[in-house]
């Protein structure tokens, strides 16, 4: 079983590379990042759906069974995501599009998934981390595509930003804290699996700080724009009233 895992991961990596190459041909008038973002969007949707099914339906429940033996479906899900993270890490390093924080996030994800697959345990909580990380990913990619197509400064852009902030805060920070507590309180998971969980949660908080700053800036900008429109409306009404007299 252990010897077949590298082959599964290699097949996953090849599949993501092939999808990227197809997107590049299909959208050759667009940038390479456009195609990579489509791959990221595809993985985000697939990983979210698969990890949700594994965690909520197939089991075991990660909050009550951390450190439990891996199931076949969990292994499939981890191999799928490991191949993607390897692809995306190489792409980001080659094109130098991401900072140190995102690269660290990918490295910790790769190490955590690899350790779980090699040990044959703890896939329940690793799968839960993937769910929490990827559930906001489609919204993040939608935000980028809206910017690229000139549609970000619209109601759709506001809706995407709102749900992204709500999901990130509720799932990655709120539920993530609960998962980390269960992981640390359980004697079953290995210490390095626990350490990886703590690092991933710390990375989420660094992202959260940036998101809070962004949300504050956007809220203040919206507020000042509303105040400006309100002042203009009052000015026009007042002038109209004076003219009528």
């Amino acid at each position: 079983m252990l010897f077949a895992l590298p082959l599964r991961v290699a097949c996953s990596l090849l599949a993501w590379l092939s999808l990227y190459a197809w997107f590049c041909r299909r959208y050759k008038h667009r940038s390479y990042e456009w195609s990579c973002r489509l791959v990221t969007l595809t993985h985000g949707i697939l990983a979210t759906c698969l990890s949700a099914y594994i965690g909520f339906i197939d089991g075991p429940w990660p909050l009550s069974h951390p450190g439990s033996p891996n199931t076949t479906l969990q292994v499939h899900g981890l191999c799928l995501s490991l191949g993607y993270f390897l692809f995306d890490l190489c792409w980001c390093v080659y094109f130098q599009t991401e900072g140190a924080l995102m690269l660290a996030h990918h490295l910790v994800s790769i190490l955590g998934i690899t350790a779980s697959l090699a040990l044959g345990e703890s896939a329940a909580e690793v799968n839960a981390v993937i769910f929490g990380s990827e559930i906001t990913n489609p919204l993040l990619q939608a935000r980028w595509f809206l910017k690229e197509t000139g549609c970000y400064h619209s109601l759709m852009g506001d809706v995407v930003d709102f749900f992204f902030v709500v999901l990130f805060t509720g799932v990655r920070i709120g539920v993530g804290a609960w998962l980390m507590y269960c992981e640390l309180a359980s004697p079953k998971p290995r210490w390095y699996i626990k350490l990886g969980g703590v690092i991933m949660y710390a990375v989420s908080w660094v992202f959260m700080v940036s998101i809070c700053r962004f949300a504050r800036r956007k809220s203040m900008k919206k507020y000042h724009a509303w105040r400006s429109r309100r002042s203009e409306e009052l000015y026009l009404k007042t002038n109209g009233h004076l003219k009528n007299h």
Side-chain angles (χ1 to χ4, degrees), residues 4-21:
L5 290 177
L7 180 59
R8 294 188 192 183
V9 175
C11 289
S12 173
L13 176 59
L14 181 61
W16 293 116
L17 281 170
S18 299
L19 182 62
Y20 172 70

Side-chain angles (χ1 to χ4, degrees), residues 1 10 22 50 67 86-87 107 130 133 140 148 150 157 184 225 228 239:
M1 176 69 176
W22 184 83
L50 182 57
L86 289 170
F87 157 76
L107 280 172
I130 292 175
S133 299
L140 189 62
E148 286 294 300
L184 295 176
S228 178
N239 282 353

Side-chain angles (χ1 to χ4, degrees), residues 61-234:
W61 184 238
L63 298 176
S64 57
H65 294 82
S68 58
N70 298 349
T71 66
T72 301
L73 189 56
Q74 286 173 344
V75 171
H76 288 322
L78 294 188
C79 288
L80 178 73
S81 289
L82 182 55
Y84 163 76
F85 282 121
L86 289 170
F87 157 76
D88 200 49
L89 177 64
C90 294
W91 193 94
C92 291
V93 170
Y94 181 79
F95 287 96
Q96 299 180 351
T97 57
E98 299 293 344
L101 184 62
M102 183 59 71
L103 296 180
H105 172 272
H106 276 35
L107 280 172
V108 174
S109 298
I110 290 169
L111 291 174
I113 295 173
T114 302
S116 177
L117 289 172
L119 292 170
E121 62 186 45
S122 291
E125 57 265 39
V126 174
N127 176 78
V129 172
I130 292 175
F131 172 77
S133 299
E134 295 301 321
I135 193 172
T136 56
N137 201 299
L139 292 171
L140 189 62
Q141 304 314 315
R143 184 173 182 269
W144 186 88
F145 284 116
L146 285 172
K147 282 187 173 183
E148 286 294 300
T149 54
C151 301
Y152 175 68
H153 298 290
S154 63
L155 177 61
M156 180 62 69
D158 293 338
V159 170
V160 168
D161 282 343
F162 173 78
F163 281 107
F164 173 77
V165 173
V166 169
L167 277 177
F168 194 100
T169 305
V171 178
R172 292 189 68 164
I173 300 301
V175 179
W178 189 9
L179 177 64
M180 186 178 67
Y181 169 77
C182 295
E183 179 79 2
L184 295 176
S186 175
K188 289 185 178 180
R190 310 292 179 99
W191 68 268
Y192 40 87
I193 296 293
K194 293 183 178 183
L195 178 62
V198 171
I199 294 174
M200 286 295 290
Y201 189 67
V203 169
S204 293
W205 262 109
V206 176
F207 284 134
M208 188 71 232
V209 171
S210 298
I211 290 170
C212 287
R213 290 174 179 170
F214 157 76
R216 182 180 180 278
R217 286 195 305 268
K218 184 165 185 175
S219 299
M220 292 302 295
K221 187 176 181 181
K222 290 286 184 182
Y223 173 72
H224 289 309
W226 175 80
R227 284 289 301 271
S228 178
R229 288 195 304 268
R230 182 66 175 168
S231 298
E232 289 177 3
E233 290 174 1
L234 290 174

